[in-house]
């Protein structure tokens, strides 16, 4: 894996992100197949075709290797919130983006979602993976504050905005866990076809209706 270099001679941010995600995918696959305790840094390195030293340059521990994939578990929802146009309600926007994702999503994107759900499910029994999941949720909450603040024409650090973001992030976490547990427990995907709409409704309810309506 040849590393792209930045102007300063180091690995570019884009390339670093890709390498971390590739490592994370292989780590998540191994964690799911053989368990976290049975997986070593050497095995992760071998699976991705890198040296063990390179793994530790990118991650502080083997469990933290799961973090990029875990974040993929809520990346679609966050991307949808980022692209939310003012003229649409949240439910209308999520519905349209669901159709677009079904039409345009790549095999890799679908596989990333599956890996993320597996790691979120595994986090119930693995405290270190639970930490990775909660760190991802904290990042979601911070980003939601910025998105909601712009929507409400308030600063991201406004107390009400932060309360809305905290409640919405918690709702997203619980829905993600519920969907993952259902799918991995044998539920058919068609039984959860309303998942995006559930997220949109949860955000509206969590914010007491302050976030959800079209602005025009």
């Amino acid at each position: 894996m040849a590393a792209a270099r930045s102007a300063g001679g180091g690995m570019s941010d884009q390339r670093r992100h890709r390498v971390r995600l590739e490592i994370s995918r292989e780590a998540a696959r191994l964690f799911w197949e053989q368990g976290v305790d049975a997986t070593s840094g050497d095995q992760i390195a071998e699976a991705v075709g890198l040296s063990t030293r390179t793994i530790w340059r990118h991650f502080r521990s083997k469990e933290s290797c799961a973090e990029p994939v875990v974040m993929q578990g809520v990346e679609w929802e966050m991307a949808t919130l980022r692209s939310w146009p003012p003229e649409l309600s949240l439910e209308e926007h999520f519905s349209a983006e669901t159709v677009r994702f079904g039409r345009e999503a790549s095999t890799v994107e679908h596989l990333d979602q599956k890996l993320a759900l597996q790691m979120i499910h595994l986090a119930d029994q693995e405290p270190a993976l639970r930490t990775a999941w909660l760190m991802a949720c904290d990042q979601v909450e911070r980003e939601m504050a910025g998105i909601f603040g712009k929507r409400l024409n308030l600063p991201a650090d406004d107390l009400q905005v932060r309360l809305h973001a905290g409640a919405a992030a918690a709702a997203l976490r619980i829905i993600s866990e519920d969907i993952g547990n259902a799918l991995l427990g044998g539920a058919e995907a068609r039984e959860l076809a309303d998942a995006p709409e559930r997220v949109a409704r949860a955000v509206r309810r969590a914010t007491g209706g302050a976030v959800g309506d079209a602005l025009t």
Side-chain angles (χ1 to χ4, degrees), residues 41-43 45-46 50-57:
D42 290 338
Q43 288 177 314
E46 182 179 359
L50 294 170
S51 69
T52 305
R53 171 180 279 185
T54 299
I55 300 299
W56 303 141
R57 280 206 299 266

Side-chain angles (χ1 to χ4, degrees), residues 178-195 198:
D178 184 66
I179 291 170
N181 290 338
L183 285 172
L184 296 173
E188 296 288 338
R190 57 185 171 78
E191 298 176 39
L192 299 167
D194 68 336
R198 287 169 59 189

Side-chain angles (χ1 to χ4, degrees), residues 37-88:
D37 288 343
T39 300
S40 67
D42 290 338
Q43 288 177 314
I44 296 169
E46 182 179 359
V48 80
L50 294 170
S51 69
T52 305
R53 171 180 279 185
T54 299
I55 300 299
W56 303 141
R57 280 206 299 266
H58 287 282
F59 295 97
R60 65 190 179 277
S61 66
K62 68 177 183 181
E63 293 86 358
S64 69
C65 291
E67 289 172 8
V69 153
V70 166
M71 191 63 200
Q72 293 295 97
V74 288
E75 177 52 33
W76 181 84
E77 290 85 354
M78 294 310 299
T80 300
L81 284 172
R82 292 183 206 112
S83 65
W84 182 14
E87 68 273 12
L88 294 180

Side-chain angles (χ1 to χ4, degrees), residues 12 71 76 81 91 105 134 151 201 211:
S12 69
M71 191 63 200
W76 181 84
L81 284 172
E91 291 82 359
L134 294 178
R151 196 82 183 179
R201 290 195 301 269
V211 177

Side-chain angles (χ1 to χ4, degrees), residues 86-101:
E87 68 273 12
L88 294 180
S89 71
L90 189 57
E91 291 82 359
E92 290 170 331
H93 181 50
F94 263 77
S95 178
E97 286 301 297
T98 300
V99 172
R100 187 189 65 78
F101 183 83

Side-chain angles (χ1 to χ4, degrees), residues 17 20-29 31-32 36 59-60 62-78 82 109 111-124 126-140 172-173 176-177 180 184:
H17 172 75
R20 281 175 53 83
L21 187 53
E22 288 169 11
I23 294 169
S24 190
R25 286 169 178 149
E26 291 300 328
R29 180 182 61 80
F31 290 160
W32 184 252
V36 176
F59 295 97
R60 65 190 179 277
K62 68 177 183 181
E63 293 86 358
S64 69
C65 291
E67 289 172 8
V69 153
V70 166
M71 191 63 200
Q72 293 295 97
V74 288
E75 177 52 33
W76 181 84
E77 290 85 354
M78 294 310 299
R82 292 183 206 112
E109 287 176 300
L111 289 174
D112 280 348
Q113 282 202 335
K114 182 179 179 180
L115 281 173
L117 290 176
Q118 289 173 337
M119 292 302 97
I120 292 169
H121 179 76
L122 199 57
D124 276 342
E126 295 286 349
L129 293 186
R130 186 69 179 173
T131 298
W133 174 223
L134 294 178
M135 286 177 63
C137 293
D138 181 70
Q139 185 175 334
V140 164
L172 178 57
R173 173 181 60 78
S176 296
E177 292 171 354
L184 296 173

